[in-house]
């Protein structure tokens, strides 16, 4: 399916109810069948601008990351080569490819294993574009600003004077640029972004913010989960809330970030004092392997 400006920049906002609370959901998972979620926002700049000299894009990170898959789609659409560095890959996954890994390979990803994290200065040249892990880069501002504009227009059209937004963070790039853009868009409507760290702790997340923005006034508010969740580990309550979200709202959320997101949001009812919007940041392809792990551990009924 061809991507044009319209399909990529207009995801619906749905009003749902969860555990008795009304909540709006921004369905960025529905942006496009292939190029969706926050990685589509982050890489939008590369998609819509011309790079006549570029022949290859290079990235690095985990072998099941959503960013890896989205980069493979970007490369396919731009007719670029795609190389991806990862620390390690299990022989099991190699023999039984699933999820983002399988789909990125189908898009002709060349995987480079165990050579360590590549450095921008070693990779980048006139023909090669280098993208940081998880798409943490200044160019992400462009696509996330469009997300902010869509939200402001919707807020205005529905006369929602004060809005709280919630989204879980990895690198924090999406939450940071979203809050910053919302503050910079001229409007009498107030919009506050809350986020929860899913990869490191609060200090890690603040450090990530500081690499992209100096002014702490433009940072989102960080809320902390009541217990420490290790990224990628399986937790009964994560699986439980994921199933509940799926069954009650008919929406499949991501299994890495969103369970911690929803658990933490539910622990902070003060956020619901204003109209609340949750950003669905995509990632359903990655669920394939997570779901296999969860089913093996807990089954379907818990
Ligand atoms: C990448 C990703 C995140 C984290 O985004 P950051 O901008 O790195 O904070 C959250 N949810 C999903 C589904 C993702 O794919």
């Amino acid at each position: 399916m061809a991507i044009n400006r319209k399909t990529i920049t207009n995801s619906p906002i749905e009003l749902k109810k969860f555990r008795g609370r009304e909540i709006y959901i921004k369905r960025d998972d529905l942006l496009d069948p292939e190029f969706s979620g926050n990685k589509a926002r982050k890489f939008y700049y590369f998609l819509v601008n011309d790079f006549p000299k570029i022949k290859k894009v290079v990235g690095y990170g985990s072998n099941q990351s959503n960013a890896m898959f989205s980069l493979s789609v970007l490369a396919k659409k731009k007719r670029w080569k795609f190389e991806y560095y990862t620390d390690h890959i299990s022989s099991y996954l190699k023999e039984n490819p699933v999820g983002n890994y399988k789909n990125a390979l189908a898009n002709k990803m060349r995987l480079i294993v165990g050579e360590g994290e590549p450095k921008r200065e070693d990779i980048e040249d006139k023909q090669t574009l280098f993208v940081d892990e998880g798409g943490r880069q200044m160019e992400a501002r462009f696509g996330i600003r469009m997300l902010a504009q869509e939200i402001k227009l919707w807020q205005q059209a529905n006369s929602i004077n004060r809005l709280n937004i919630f989204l879980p963070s990895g690198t924090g790039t999406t939450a940071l640029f979203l809050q910053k853009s919302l503050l910079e868009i001229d409007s009498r409507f107030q919009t506050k972004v809350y986020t929860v760290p899913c990869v490191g702790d609060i200090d890690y997340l603040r450090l990530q913010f500081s690499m992209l923005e100096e002014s702490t006034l433009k940072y989102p508010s960080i809320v902390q989960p009541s217990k420490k969740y290790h990224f990628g580990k399986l937790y009964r309550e994560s699986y439980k809330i994921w199933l509940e979200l799926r069954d009650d709202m008919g929406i499949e959320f991501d299994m890495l970030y969103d369970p911690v997101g929803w658990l933490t949001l539910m622990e902070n009812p003060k956020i619901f004092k204003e109209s609340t919007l949750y950003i669905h940041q995509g990632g359903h392809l990655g669920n394939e392997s997570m779901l296999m792990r969860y089913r093996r551990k807990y089954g379907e009924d818990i």
Side-chain angles (χ1 to χ4, degrees), residues 226-242:
S226 62
K227 78 173 225 190
K228 182 155 177 47
Y229 293 97
H230 295 272
F231 191 63
K233 245 184 104 170
L234 307 185
Y235 297 92
R236 184 180 285 276
E237 65 269 32
S238 295
Y239 187 39
K240 238 176 144 153
I241 201 166
W242 183 84

Side-chain angles (χ1 to χ4, degrees), residues 26-38:
K26 177 77 170 155
R27 299 293 306 271
D28 265 11
D29 56 318
L30 302 178
L31 279 172
D32 176 271
E34 282 198 300
F35 203 61
S36 72
N38 71 353

Side-chain angles (χ1 to χ4, degrees), residues 22-271:
E22 289 206 322
I23 184 156
Y24 294 97
I25 317 274
K26 177 77 170 155
R27 299 293 306 271
D28 265 11
D29 56 318
L30 302 178
L31 279 172
D32 176 271
E34 282 198 300
F35 203 61
S36 72
N38 71 353
K39 304 307 178 294
R41 299 286 186 182
K42 289 178 179 187
F43 299 144
Y44 187 64
Y45 177 86
F46 299 114
L47 183 76
V48 296
N49 286 292
D50 278 335
F51 300 86
K53 295 204 174 99
I54 295 295
K55 295 204 160 42
K56 182 165 80 180
V57 59
V58 177
Y60 65 94
S62 99
N63 60 41
Q64 273 299 3
S65 93
N66 296 328
M68 173 189 73
F69 171 69
S70 297
L71 277 178
S72 79
V73 176
L74 177 70
K76 186 170 75 174
K77 298 204 177 282
K78 303 291 278 191
R79 299 205 172 87
W80 294 338
K81 290 196 172 107
F82 174 39
E83 286 178 3
Y84 189 79
Y85 288 74
T86 196
D87 281 350
H88 141 98
I89 183 159
S90 70
S91 47
Y92 182 81
L93 181 60
K94 240 179 155 168
E95 280 155 31
N96 309 278
V98 286
N100 285 319
Y101 173 69
K102 177 172 141 189
N103 288 281
L105 285 180
N107 289 336
K108 300 202 168 69
M109 166 176 72
R110 192 168 94 82
L111 196 66
I112 299 159
V113 183
E115 285 190 14
E117 192 177 300
K119 294 205 167 52
R120 178 178 289 274
E121 57 268 30
D122 296 336
I123 301 280
E124 212 167 45
D125 61 33
K126 282 203 197 80
Q127 301 189 347
T128 311
L129 187 71
F130 181 76
V131 174
D132 274 315
E133 182 166 17
R136 189 193 64 217
Q137 76 252 332
M138 288 313 281
E139 288 87 348
R141 246 186 98 166
F142 184 80
I144 296 168
R145 195 178 164 83
M146 296 181 76
L147 169 62
Q149 271 157 351
E150 286 173 41
I151 292 170
K152 278 283 187 200
L153 283 174
W154 166 83
Q155 213 180 321
Q156 221 162 306
N158 292 281
S159 307
I160 300 172
N161 289 330
R162 297 159 74 91
L163 178 71
N164 286 336
I165 296 182
F166 192 93
L167 72 168
S169 278
T171 65
T173 309
T174 310
L176 174 77
F177 283 148
L178 185 59
Q179 179 66 88
K180 184 172 148 73
S181 305
L182 288 164
L183 288 167
E184 287 166 0
I185 295 170
D186 190 24
S187 166
R188 64 189 169 83
F189 295 92
Q190 276 189 44
T191 323
K192 193 165 164 53
V193 176
Y194 290 86
T195 192
V196 54
C198 298
V199 173
D201 57 10
I202 287 188
D203 290 338
Y204 161 84
L205 191 56
R206 292 198 129 251
L207 183 68
Q208 301 297 305
F209 290 165
S210 70
M211 288 195 255
L212 296 165
E213 169 64 40
E214 276 179 18
S215 168
T216 56
L217 296 171
K218 296 196 173 161
Y219 290 3
S221 299
I222 303 177
V223 285
Q224 197 164 15
S226 62
K227 78 173 225 190
K228 182 155 177 47
Y229 293 97
H230 295 272
F231 191 63
K233 245 184 104 170
L234 307 185
Y235 297 92
R236 184 180 285 276
E237 65 269 32
S238 295
Y239 187 39
K240 238 176 144 153
I241 201 166
W242 183 84
L243 288 169
E244 192 184 336
L245 288 159
R246 188 194 65 180
D247 295 345
D248 288 6
M249 294 204 269
I251 300 177
E252 180 179 337
F253 283 92
D254 147 275
M255 298 188 94
L256 274 171
Y257 301 90
D258 285 322
V260 177
W262 281 98
L263 287 167
T264 310
L265 175 59
M266 290 298 141
E267 286 167 5
N268 288 273
K270 64 164 202 267
I271 295 173

